[in-house]
Amino acid sequence: MRVRCLFLSLALLPLLTACGNASMKYDIQLDTEDEEQSSALLSASMRMIERRMADLGEEVIDLDIQPSGEENRIYVEAAEKPALDVLTDLITTPFDLQIMKEAPVEEADQVVEGHGGFKKTGISHTHIQWLKASEEPGGRGRVTITFSEEGREKMAQLFRENKGKSIGIFVRNQLVSKLLVDTDELKDDIVITDIPSVQLANVFADDVNVGIHVTFTPVP
């Protein structure tokens, strides 16, 4: 299914600064053995860490993937220890994505100023297999969301029951995308179109794919 939607940028993170160089290592656990997908997830993890540090106003001095037995390990070096502490909190906090439906404010689980109320549907990141970002003519971006079989069944039911209403995609309790259900039948993957830039589409796809499939464990 192809939809045009409001696409909101992910919130920037607070700036913390202090003195002293520092480094961190994280063991990386992937939930897939597919080589192509594993390579894509490692690259996405590196990009995600760079963006998180940039949001903190911190320059990454060194960022590298290091083999560790049969697993992989990411090494991060920066000038400021507090920024790495915040990074650790961010990437080790359990990922959360919820697909919610439009609802009256008095019945809503979450209310977003300017967008109204939304209620949980029971559809989450656990029902998503993969996100793929691509470019549209004119330089804007798009993201294709592929659901698991159970996820497709739940989404199909959601569409049947909510034609003409809006659905919101929330990442870490923040509304990042809002789409209008213009059909009561879900026939294919959801394609979010008209995203302001390819870069934003890639950021969203990386963030969700890494959140779903990658676990970071700090190395003492």
Side-chain angles (χ1 to χ4, degrees):
M1 177 188 175
R2 211 171 278 266
V3 296
R4 290 170 61 89
C5 72
L6 167 70
F7 201 91
L8 308 174
S9 61
L10 300 179
L12 296 180
L13 302 167
L15 172 64
L16 294 177
T17 59
C19 298
N21 295 338
S23 64
M24 279 295 300
K25 293 180 180 180
Y26 305 94
D27 282 337
I28 306 299
Q29 183 178 357
L30 310 179
D31 69 354
T32 177
E33 296 182 358
D34 180 270
E35 291 187 6
E36 183 177 350
Q37 194 174 65
S38 296
S39 178
L41 287 169
L42 290 174
S43 296
S45 296
M46 300 276 278
R47 293 192 296 268
M48 184 269 291
I49 288 174
E50 284 188 308
R51 286 193 292 262
R52 291 287 185 269
M53 294 296 283
D55 288 344
L56 291 168
E58 180 67 20
E59 181 181 358
V60 175
I61 296 173
D62 192 12
L63 178 61
D64 192 22
I65 295 179
Q66 303 174 343
S68 177
E70 296 182 356
E71 303 297 330
N72 290 287
R73 179 173 291 177
I74 287 184
Y75 172 82
V76 187
E77 182 179 348
E80 306 291 348
K81 176 69 162 58
L84 288 176
D85 291 340
V86 175
L87 173 69
T88 298
D89 288 341
L90 291 170
I91 65 178
T92 58
T93 298
F95 182 74
D96 180 65
L97 180 152
Q98 298 289 331
I99 294 179
M100 300 189 188
K101 62 183 179 180
E102 176 186 337
V105 171
E106 61 272 15
E107 299 177 8
D109 292 313
Q110 192 159 341
V111 177
V112 182
E113 185 176 356
H115 299 283
F118 294 86
K119 190 173 183 63
K120 291 182 179 179
T121 63
I123 305 173
S124 70
H125 55 277
T126 62
H127 300 104
I128 294 175
Q129 289 185 332
W130 195 255
L131 270 65
K132 181 179 179 181
S134 56
E135 184 175 0
E136 292 187 321
R140 298 179 77 82
R142 73 173 65 175
V143 170
T144 302
I145 304 178
T146 301
F147 289 87
S148 65
E149 183 176 348
E150 181 183 3
R152 286 179 59 82
E153 292 175 357
K154 288 180 175 292
M155 286 296 295
Q157 180 179 354
L158 182 65
F159 273 53
R160 286 194 300 270
E161 297 175 351
N162 292 275
K163 184 178 180 181
K165 298 181 180 180
S166 293
I167 290 175
I169 300 176
F170 288 76
V171 176
R172 302 183 186 93
N173 295 318
Q174 297 184 36
L175 178 65
V176 297
S177 181
K178 180 181 173 183
L179 61 93
L180 177 67
V181 179
D182 58 4
T183 177
D184 59 4
E185 186 177 1
L186 179 67
K187 296 181 178 179
D188 51 18
D189 299 330
I190 289 181
V191 181
I192 302 175
T193 66
D194 205 30
I195 298 171
S197 70
V198 179
Q199 180 182 9
L200 183 56
N202 280 312
V203 168
F204 181 53
D206 282 352
D207 192 50
V208 176
N209 285 333
V210 171
I212 292 173
H213 299 291
V214 182
T215 301
F216 298 87
T217 303
V219 178

